[in-house]
Amino acid sequence: MDIKEDDESRVITPTELQLHDSVTARTGTLWTAVAHIITGVIGAGVLSLAWATAELGWIAGPAALIAFAGVTLLSAFLLSDCYRFPDPNNGPLRLNSYSQAVKLYLGKKNEIVCGVVVYISLFGCGIAYTIVIATCSRAIMKSNCYHRNGHNATCSYGDNNNYFMVLFGLTQIFMSQIPNFHNMVWLSLVAAIMSFTYSFIGIGLALGKIIENQKIEGSIRGIPAENRGEKVWIVFQALGNIAFSYPFSIILLEIQDTLRSPPAEKQTMKKASTVAVFIQTFFFFCCGCFGYAAFGDTTPGNLLTGFGFYEPFWLVDFANACIVLHLVGGYQVYSQPIFAAAERSLTKKYPENKFIARFYGFKLPLLRGETVRLNPMRMCLRTMYVLITTGVAVMFPYFNEVLGVVGALAFWPLAVYFPVEMCILQKKIRSWTRPWLLLRGFSFVCLLVCLLSLVGSIYGLVGAKFG
């Protein structure tokens, strides 16, 4: 049977909103699960992997990619066993969301902490997407300018991306009012196609650059820094960028809930996770290593907007246009869970308040007289959220630093801590036994790396802003 929980406390994630209709049917297979995972993890984060690899160097860079892949796979295995409660094989309760599992295994307080981390992560993604959209829009204009006037032309288009961020914010204010935006199935399909398209273009352009150079750039130590202290913090910031790209723990149980059985859901999910992590790691290796091999110490923070590539200009434009199209919808996908949680909470707390609960209908001539229903609370809340994310992005328009902060904040609690704690409770692992020590040691090491990554990313953010 499926477990029910209090609506007010429920943490909703983007994938849960999109998979809602398919959950009850449970007709998913190994390959549908792999497809959902790959679609969920291939995104804007891949654009920073070349820079992260360049900062770490030819030994530490690939090693970090493999290490994060291993942590992600172990996390997936631990979570897969938590799908059924209390027994991982025959438990009568199916836990179809991450928050349900945390609440049932670890209690209400841990669920609240989990929810805070999830929503901070989603909020951070909104900020990062705003920054990327602005840099990509500006890159398209600069690419056309360089093509017309030569690669040495002055094509600044302003000293910053604020204009494009504000324009993107205005677009999102409008889009955030579209009802049932998360139920548009085509949105996920378009996002998947666009993300794979610009990622493959980036890999292809980097490979072409390597062939043109007829050598592999880079070094074992990575990009040199002014001093050792600065290099240490940049290395940890690079780890934060990798941490942002890898984990899919927050969506795993929702995907597992779509799988048919027999065989047991956890068996299929473990196989799907193994295949997906292998594909993901290979893909990330291509993005990170090809980019570093092409540019060496001049590897840009964003592979497609740093103007290591000038020609073919139309392909660079197309790749950046794909990023823009992907993230315009992706911003809403990551924002809708926050909207849903806030609106549900306010509606439950003030059910009689007209500002919150009442909808007003308007007939728009452009829509052939169809009635559009608007809610004042929804309009104000969603507009305010978009203004806040846009404002933060304008204040801190630093792509790699923001990704590092978001990745470091979310990786340990969501991909390591909660899965480890749930595993210990489910399997009734006694304290100070060998499995207990291994799991706790694993969690502690990941915590230490994430804390250092967070400090390094904040150091980079402050340095970029005030340095």
Side-chain angles (χ1 to χ4, degrees), residues 325-341:
L325 189 58
H326 173 207
L327 299 190
V328 164
Y331 179 96
Q332 285 300 315
V333 170
Y334 281 92
S335 301
Q336 289 294 328
I338 299 178
F339 297 157

Side-chain angles (χ1 to χ4, degrees), residues 193-206:
I193 294 173
M194 293 299 103
S195 59
F196 276 104
T197 299
Y198 65 69
S199 299
F200 277 118
I201 290 174
I203 292 172
L205 289 173

Side-chain angles (χ1 to χ4, degrees), residues 305-332:
T305 62
F307 283 95
F309 308 116
Y310 290 95
E311 301 293 342
F313 82 99
W314 60 268
L315 190 58
V316 176
D317 286 356
F318 180 67
N320 281 293
C322 287
I323 298 173
V324 171
L325 189 58
H326 173 207
L327 299 190
V328 164
Y331 179 96
Q332 285 300 315

Side-chain angles (χ1 to χ4, degrees), residues 14 150 273 439:
S273 299
L439 287 171

Side-chain angles (χ1 to χ4, degrees), residues 381-392:
L381 179 70
R382 298 187 178 198
T383 300
M384 186 179 300
Y385 174 84
V386 175
L387 290 176
I388 292 173
T389 55
T390 305
V392 174

Side-chain angles (χ1 to χ4, degrees), residues 3 12 183 189 243 284 330 340 386 398 400:
I3 188 169
I12 303 175
N183 288 333
L189 181 61
F284 286 2
V386 175
Y398 311 111
N400 298 103

